[in-house]
Amino acid sequence: MPSTSGQSSQFRYTQTPSKVLHLRNMPWECTEEEVLLLCRPFGKVVNTMLNVGANRNQGFVEFAEVNQAIQMVTYFTSPSEPAQIRGKTVYIQYSNRQEITNNKTTADGAGNVLLVTIEGVQAGDVSIDVIHLVFSAFGFVHKIATFEKTAGFQALIQYTDVATATEAKNALDGRSIPRYLLPEHVETCYLRITYSAHKDLSIKFQSNRSRDYTNPYLPVNPTTIDVSLQPTVGSDGKIKEPESNVLLASIGNVQYAVTVDVLHTVFSAFGTVQKIAIFDKLGELQALIQYPDVATATIAKESLEGHCIYDGGYCKLHLTYSRHTDLTVKNDERSRDYTIPSVMPRPAVPGVSWQSTQATAAAFPATVPSSIQPGEVPPTAWNPAVPVGSYVPAQSSYPNPSPTSHTFAPSAVVPTVPATQQMLPPPYGASPGSGQIPNYS
């Protein structure tokens, strides 16, 4: 019987593409803000209809262009990067409809919630704090929610009563937000105000796109903060991407096999690798590598970015931080969970690299019973410095780091390639001499 995921993937490709996408298995009372956060990287969402169906766990989103919807469906086809909201996998497919027409937002009469369209600006040009400053001049503002629709950048503002909302509407409709509250590139932004059909807005989290001023204890959801609007700047003045303990590796110019064992050998040079998952996305070989903490992942990223697994420019690594923090993997040829004792690599001798034969017998004291029975061979402890029989340690182009540097895991299987294209732990170019620290530059 074919798998459910296989059927779902096949179904997505056999459907006729549409600007409207159907979302299933959404969290209970999923907000528009959470859905927009998922959709925003692929294009402009002009309309939504959420919390529909018998269990109120389905919804629809409409993009401005059909190509934007196609990109989102294609991106989330991979099982390694499923669409998720609040940690719950959301299934996405094309809708049979070509537009959302039954999402009523305006009211027939006056109400306590105003629908404000801010013309001439993009999302982020006018902050939620500016909106609150302008509208609180007429009374206590309970809640604000901002979003993007076909009409442009919009906001819902909830007042205590209809009278206060009406006063604000009459005073601000058709007016512009004061120039000194706007960014330099925005000349004017006129307010078009109508009454909303909503009576009480549902705000789940405090963020830069929604605010509940009646509940100071409402949690702040880090995932709802738009990083592009609030960038983190490093000491060098450059914008830093959000860090994670999981690295996403894109591997280019793949001329030799890149296996789980190869990646474990390369990345374990900088710390304990917990999990690895290899997958193909959009015709490119990619992998997720999980470390126990962000600091170790950062060291590995800075050391390996732009370098090649094999000498000669083969299997070049491009590393970014993944949005994942804990991978769910199977133990097969393309993924491995090293936190399970049965699949953990053989630990290296402290201070000795995996290919080293410099360990002393003192590190492995022999244990010989006091009495040996006739016919028994006295047991001895394994000593890596002494070859057993005809099995001599294989030569390798990996350098032998000093005791203060990272060591390579001993169990990784290095693929067989021509002598002129030996695998190197990037960014090394040649083995250093005895006692010399490898060049990481």
Side-chain angles (χ1 to χ4, degrees):
M1 180 179 179
S3 63
T4 304
S5 60
Q7 290 177 339
S8 177
S9 177
Q10 183 181 11
F11 180 60
R12 283 194 293 263
Y13 284 118
T14 56
Q15 285 182 293
T16 302
S18 167
K19 293 189 298 183
V20 181
L21 298 182
H22 180 205
L23 282 63
R24 297 180 291 114
N25 198 43
M26 299 169 63
W28 175 253
E29 294 188 351
C30 183
T31 65
E32 184 177 56
E33 181 180 359
E34 292 175 300
V35 174
L36 291 177
L37 184 67
L38 183 68
C39 301
R40 194 177 299 124
F42 304 96
K44 183 178 180 180
V45 175
V46 298
N47 211 346
T48 62
M49 184 168 62
L50 306 178
N51 300 316
V52 299
N55 297 322
R56 298 181 61 82
N57 64 344
Q58 300 183 44
F60 297 89
V61 295
E62 179 183 344
F63 281 95
E65 303 290 341
V66 66
N67 289 337
Q68 298 169 346
I70 294 175
Q71 289 178 4
M72 184 172 182
V73 171
T74 303
Y75 182 86
F76 287 120
T77 299
S78 171
S80 300
E81 291 276 350
Q84 291 187 336
I85 297 179
R86 296 187 215 161
K88 189 174 184 180
T89 299
V90 177
Y91 302 103
I92 303 174
Q93 64 190 46
Y94 298 113
S95 172
N96 294 327
R97 64 181 76 194
Q98 295 301 314
E99 62 177 345
I100 299 175
T101 58
N102 60 342
N103 190 17
K104 183 179 180 181
T105 57
T106 58
D108 298 328
N112 66 313
V113 178
L114 299 178
L115 173 61
V116 181
T117 301
I118 307 175
E119 298 178 344
V121 300
Q122 300 293 326
D125 289 342
V126 180
S127 69
I128 197 169
D129 293 321
V130 169
I131 296 173
H132 180 263
L133 179 64
V134 171
F135 283 85
S136 62
F138 302 91
F140 178 66
V141 175
H142 286 231
K143 303 173 184 178
I144 297 178
T146 62
F147 48 90
E148 295 174 81
K149 290 292 182 69
T150 308
F153 183 55
Q154 296 183 315
L156 290 170
I157 293 95
Q158 178 179 331
Y159 284 105
T160 306
D161 49 47
V162 176
T164 307
T166 300
E167 182 184 357
K169 178 180 180 299
N170 294 337
L172 296 175
D173 189 20
R175 302 284 297 275
S176 176
I177 294 177
R179 184 67 183 82
Y180 66 89
L181 295 176
L182 300 174
E184 294 182 359
H185 66 278
V186 178
E187 295 296 332
T188 57
C189 62
Y190 290 100
L191 304 176
R192 303 300 178 187
I193 305 176
T194 59
Y195 293 106
S196 171
H198 295 281
K199 300 299 180 184
D200 186 17
L201 302 180
S202 177
I203 306 296
K204 301 298 181 183
F205 304 101
Q206 309 281 24
S207 74
N208 66 309
R209 295 182 68 89
S210 65
R211 204 69 58 84
D212 184 347
Y213 299 97
T214 66
N215 185 5
Y217 302 105
L218 196 65
V220 176
N221 188 353
T223 61
T224 64
I225 300 298
D226 192 341
V227 178
S228 64
L229 301 180
Q230 299 183 2
T232 301
V233 181
S235 57
D236 57 356
K238 297 181 179 180
I239 296 178
K240 298 172 60 179
E241 61 179 316
E243 296 179 342
S244 170
N245 64 311
V246 178
L247 297 178
L248 173 62
S250 300
I251 307 172
N253 194 20
V254 180
Q255 299 294 327
Y256 299 107
V258 179
T259 64
V260 172
D261 291 323
V262 168
L263 292 177
H264 184 271
T265 300
V266 173
F267 284 87
S268 63
F270 304 93
T272 303
V273 173
Q274 294 182 323
K275 301 176 184 179
I276 295 177
I278 301 176
F279 55 95
D280 298 293
K281 174 174 284 188
L282 302 178
E284 183 180 43
L285 182 65
Q286 297 186 354
L288 292 168
I289 298 93
Q290 177 178 327
Y291 284 103
D293 51 63
V294 174
T296 307
T298 300
I299 293 174
K301 178 179 181 297
E302 294 176 351
S303 300
L304 297 176
E305 167 60 27
H307 293 285
C308 302
I309 297 178
Y310 296 93
D311 192 15
Y314 298 111
C315 303
K316 186 174 181 178
L317 294 172
H318 173 59
L319 301 174
T320 58
Y321 293 106
S322 171
R323 60 186 176 85
H324 294 284
T325 57
D326 188 16
L327 304 178
T328 301
V329 301
K330 300 177 181 178
N331 287 308
D332 53 30
E333 61 180 9
R334 304 205 81 188
S335 60
R336 198 73 51 82
D337 185 349
Y338 296 98
T339 63
I340 301 177
S342 60
V343 297
M344 289 183 66
R346 179 164 58 92
V349 179
V352 181
S353 61
W354 66 275
Q355 88 286 13
S356 175
T357 58
Q358 304 303 316
T360 60
F364 299 90
T367 304
V368 182
S370 56
S371 60
I372 305 299
Q373 300 298 324
E376 289 186 356
V377 178
T380 58
W382 175 69
N383 186 347
V386 180
V388 180
S390 60
Y391 295 94
V392 181
Q395 296 298 319
S396 168
S397 59
Y398 278 91
N400 181 12
S402 66
T404 59
S405 64
H406 296 283
T407 60
F408 289 91
S411 64
V413 178
V414 181
T416 303
V417 296
T420 58
Q421 304 293 344
Q422 291 293 322
M423 187 177 76
L424 301 177
Y428 318 135
S431 300
S434 176
Q436 180 182 349
I437 299 177
N439 179 18
Y440 287 84
S441 60

